[in-house]
Amino acid sequence: MSLHGPIVDRYPNNPILTGADFPPDSGIVRVFNSGVIKWRGRYIMACRAEDQALVGRIWIADSTDGYHFVPRPAPVAMPEDDPEYAEYTAGMIYDPRITELDGRCYLVHAAHSAHTCRLSLLETEDFEQFKWLGFISETDNRNGVLFPEKIKGLYARLDRPNPGEEFGDIWVSYSPDLIFWGRSRCVLRNCQVRWAWSKIGPATVPIKTPEGWLVIFHGVRTQCKSHYVYQLGVCLLDLEEPHRVLYRAEEAILEPRELYELVGQTPSVVFSAGAVVEDNGEVKIYYGAADTVMCLGTTSVERLLEACKHR
Ligand code: BMA
């Protein structure tokens, strides 16, 4: 791999999904930061779809090729009548990430309310019916993503506790049942990442390789005091002790550069919540651009490993 070439190639027909692709009566104007999984041979996107009143919904879109996604007629039905769910999601729900585990799919999303942000878990066997399993963190935690298998007999997840302004590192926690979490360890600190001094957080489901867990993450830096720039990075975590970072690319693997990444609801944002690894090693990274549209970038497991070691 070239020492200077791109690590991720943008899909030339970006964006791949916009608010205009949703049913005309849906009121959806933006779609971004959506989780994606390849499941039983088809691609499923759990969209973060937003209307003009800033009401966010999780809305499934289907694809047979990974490039063209068609939103369903209606969003995922959430347990809005449940008083506990309603209290802690009163602000918005966002940034869903999907993991397949033991034949079921789990979706972790952020939930914002007057209590700030926490993580919520849904389960599905068919992407038609979703069962809400509960909140799985206290407040001030987001970017939760489950590992695709247990580690040393426990479920594992990465997340980003946020103990203060302008602060946020990547942590790993473990659980016997996906509901109760503990044994938390810090994985990577924002101050270690040269281009992301404000905060970092896990992006996509960790990708298992013989050398370790490949983890794509986002990193944020603050420009001119108030302008945030969101980029993507990659690191390799130990298979058995994922709080140990084996390698990390010094460079960002994707930074806002194209107009659709620079201009939108929030300027200068690339933010990923889903990647698909194909049988030939290609990695499709789905990402929200400028908090407005969904885009695609492609790379490979090999290129990401190389980037971890040499970039
Ligand atoms: C973060 C999250 C993301 C969003 C980003 C940029 O804090 O809320 O959903 O893309 O800000 O606005």
Side-chain angles (χ1 to χ4, degrees), residues 265-283:
Q265 177 175 221
T266 315
S268 309
V269 176
V270 295
F271 188 102
S272 180
V276 166
V277 183
E278 303 289 3
D279 291 341
N280 64 3
E282 185 198 48
V283 180

Side-chain angles (χ1 to χ4, degrees), residues 8-277:
V8 175
D9 300 315
R10 287 175 176 82
Y11 179 54
N13 295 334
N14 274 341
I16 60 165
L17 195 69
T18 75
D21 297 317
F22 284 72
D25 61 351
S26 67
I28 297 302
V29 291
R30 287 178 284 275
V31 54
F32 53 105
N33 303 4
S34 308
V36 183
I37 192 168
K38 191 170 181 183
W39 182 75
R40 298 188 183 166
R42 57 196 175 100
Y43 300 78
I44 303 219
M45 184 182 285
C47 298
R48 171 179 176 179
E50 201 172 87
D51 69 18
Q52 203 69 271
L54 286 193
V55 174
R57 297 195 168 76
I58 293 174
W59 199 305
I60 301 298
D62 300 284
S63 172
T64 52
D65 61 8
Y67 300 93
H68 304 93
F69 285 84
V70 180
R72 293 185 183 173
V76 171
M78 292 300 200
E80 279 148 17
D81 295 338
D82 183 311
E84 186 189 353
Y85 183 85
E87 178 176 352
Y88 296 101
T89 59
M92 59 176 175
I93 55 172
Y94 58 107
D95 298 355
R97 292 163 167 96
I98 316 165
T99 301
E100 185 170 3
L101 252 171
D102 303 335
R104 288 175 187 205
C105 290
Y106 294 90
L107 190 151
V108 180
H109 68 87
H112 203 90
S113 70
H115 305 281
T116 83
C117 186
R118 61 193 305 207
L119 301 174
S120 165
L121 178 67
L122 299 162
E123 176 191 84
T124 184
E125 288 177 34
D126 54 11
F127 288 96
E128 301 290 339
Q129 305 293 326
F130 289 80
K131 183 178 170 199
W132 181 57
L133 299 184
F135 293 103
I136 57 169
S137 79
E138 293 184 322
T139 62
D140 247 344
N141 197 325
R142 66 184 81 180
N143 303 307
V145 62
L146 302 177
F147 281 76
E149 60 184 63
K150 289 181 176 171
I151 297 175
K152 292 186 183 166
L154 293 172
Y155 295 106
R157 81 164 190 236
L158 298 174
D159 59 20
R160 206 282 299 291
N162 205 24
E165 280 292 304
E166 301 292 318
F167 194 78
D169 302 325
I170 299 175
W171 285 61
V172 63
S173 297
Y174 300 92
S175 170
D177 59 4
L178 291 171
I179 303 297
F180 297 94
W181 293 85
R183 292 197 187 162
S184 306
R185 300 280 301 257
C186 186
V187 176
L188 185 63
R189 303 208 59 191
N190 56 11
C191 56
Q192 295 172 270
V193 183
R194 200 180 144 71
W195 44 267
W197 54 79
S198 300
K199 45 190 174 178
I200 57 174
T204 65
V205 174
I207 298 167
K208 193 174 191 187
T209 77
E211 296 185 56
W213 294 105
L214 257 182
V215 169
I216 298 168
F217 62 94
H218 70 262
V220 186
R221 68 171 197 264
T222 315
Q223 296 279 129
C224 302
K225 289 203 171 146
S226 60
H227 178 62
Y228 290 116
V229 178
Y230 279 71
Q231 309 183 57
L232 296 181
V234 67
C235 61
L236 190 72
L237 308 183
D238 186 83
L239 285 175
E240 293 285 298
E241 297 189 331
H243 61 276
R244 291 181 48 220
V245 179
L246 304 178
Y247 295 99
R248 177 174 57 80
E250 280 294 318
E251 295 175 21
I253 62 169
L254 194 71
E255 59 161 21
R257 198 176 280 184
E258 297 295 327
L259 259 190
Y260 52 80
E261 298 161 347
L262 295 167
V263 179
Q265 177 175 221
T266 315
S268 309
V269 176
V270 295
F271 188 102
S272 180
V276 166
V277 183

